[in-house]
Amino acid sequence: MKDLVIMNFSRIYEHESFFKNKEYQWIDCTKINGTTGYCDKVAFNTLKEKINNISPEGIHFIDSGSYHYITTLWTSKIKKEFVLVVFDHHCDMLKPMFGDILSCGSWIMNTLDYNNYLKKVVLVGLSKEQKEMIPSEYLNKIFCICDYDLLNMTELDILNIIGKKYPVYISIDKDVLNKSIINTSWEQGSMDLDNLMNIISIIIKNQIVIGLDICGESDFIKVKDIKTSDYINKKLLNLLFKEL
């Protein structure tokens, strides 16, 4: 499960090199309108067609957090029961301002509503305030590990929450990391990179992992931010190629 896919929306990956010593599939999304933050129906169908022949069983880099809703597309391709493990400082369970349009802030809600194979979601690294924003009707399928919870949790605690009954799909938003490590243009959590990588490694070693995606590139293309994000992407990718 090492197929590598790069989905380029903001052109940020054109300035990075973490993937260039690997075999990868480049998906150009730069000319698709209606994708930043929100994804309209035309854009959704275009994106769906672009990944139509690509398996969810791979590593998918999906640009900034503004495009985190792409996880909905990848997980819609999974045709067996699974658990979604999301590293994110936000709950992504907020109803969109415009009807029921898919957005980076509502995509987990959308996935729970429409994906019958999804058994539960485990949110790792969100803030207490974001946890309190989750609508009560979804709490039977959402399990939260807030950033402050991680200070007192063991590896076994985390694995017990995920459970062993179903395989997992992992989605990582780098806004879960401390702002001193990376600037993702969003409010960020308190995790350090070693902690994030350690938890990912624990999950991979103890669960069946279907696939994985990573977002959290900076929305502001600054040289310093690009170099930092490129470095973190390389560290994560090397870990995944080593352990998956």
Side-chain angles (χ1 to χ4, degrees):
M1 197 275 294
K2 294 182 181 179
D3 290 339
L4 177 58
V5 177
I6 310 294
M7 299 186 74
N8 186 43
F9 287 89
S10 68
R11 299 190 181 275
I12 190 81
Y13 294 130
E14 296 170 21
H15 303 277
E16 298 185 19
S17 61
F18 67 92
F19 53 88
K20 291 186 177 178
N21 64 339
K22 314 284 187 186
E23 290 187 11
Y24 62 92
Q25 184 163 350
W26 182 270
I27 301 179
D28 182 13
C29 305
T30 58
K31 296 180 181 179
I32 306 173
N33 295 320
T35 61
T36 305
Y38 292 87
C39 184
D40 65 35
K41 290 183 179 179
V42 174
F44 182 86
N45 290 330
T46 302
L47 290 166
K48 187 176 181 180
E49 180 63 26
K50 279 185 173 288
I51 67 170
N52 183 52
N53 296 319
I54 306 174
S55 170
E57 299 177 350
I59 302 165
H60 318 111
F61 282 83
I62 59 175
D63 213 292
S64 83
S66 297
Y67 309 98
H68 203 170
Y69 61 78
I70 292 296
T71 305
T72 299
L73 278 168
W74 286 114
T75 54
S76 71
K77 299 167 75 69
I78 300 171
K79 302 305 179 185
K80 57 186 175 183
E81 295 177 326
F82 71 100
V83 171
L84 176 61
V85 179
V86 184
F87 292 84
D88 200 316
H89 194 56
H90 305 86
C91 67
D92 291 353
M93 290 282 295
L94 306 179
K95 293 183 179 179
M97 295 175 63
F98 310 105
D100 62 350
I101 189 171
L102 181 63
S103 78
C104 61
S106 68
W107 70 269
I108 292 180
M109 181 185 299
N110 181 279
T111 308
L112 283 167
D113 285 342
Y114 297 107
N115 192 322
N116 293 327
Y117 292 105
L118 178 57
K119 305 308 291 183
K120 70 177 177 182
V121 176
V122 179
L123 274 169
V124 184
L126 78 164
S127 67
K128 179 181 178 182
E129 293 75 17
Q130 286 284 318
K131 179 181 179 181
E132 293 172 351
M133 292 180 183
I134 298 173
S136 58
E137 62 266 31
Y138 293 94
L139 292 177
N140 63 325
K141 283 194 172 183
I142 294 277
F143 296 80
C144 298
I145 303 173
C146 293
D147 46 10
Y148 59 84
D149 292 327
L150 291 167
L151 298 173
N152 301 308
M153 296 192 76
T154 66
E155 297 177 4
L156 185 59
D157 291 332
I158 295 171
L159 293 173
N160 283 340
I161 291 172
I162 297 171
K164 293 287 288 185
K165 187 174 181 180
Y166 305 107
V168 303
Y169 184 93
I170 301 172
S171 183
I172 302 164
D173 189 332
K174 288 179 289 186
D175 73 13
V176 79
L177 295 170
N178 191 292
K179 207 170 186 69
S180 65
I181 300 170
I182 185 174
N183 177 21
T184 67
S185 312
W186 298 83
E187 180 184 350
Q188 293 181 219
S190 59
M191 293 179 70
D192 61 42
L193 183 58
D194 287 341
N195 192 14
L196 173 61
M197 292 177 65
N198 184 52
I199 298 173
I200 294 169
S201 180
I202 290 166
I203 295 172
I204 291 172
K205 289 175 180 176
N206 290 277
Q207 306 285 150
I208 297 172
V209 177
I210 298 169
L212 183 145
D213 61 51
I214 299 171
C215 69
E217 305 309 301
S218 175
D219 285 325
F220 307 108
I221 302 181
K222 298 180 180 179
V223 173
K224 180 181 177 181
D225 293 337
I226 292 170
K227 287 183 177 179
T228 302
S229 197
D230 193 22
Y231 169 78
I232 292 173
N233 287 341
K234 185 174 182 179
K235 293 273 286 187
L236 290 170
L237 187 59
N238 287 342
L239 171 70
L240 297 172
F241 265 77
K242 177 182 176 183
E243 299 199 358
L244 284 174

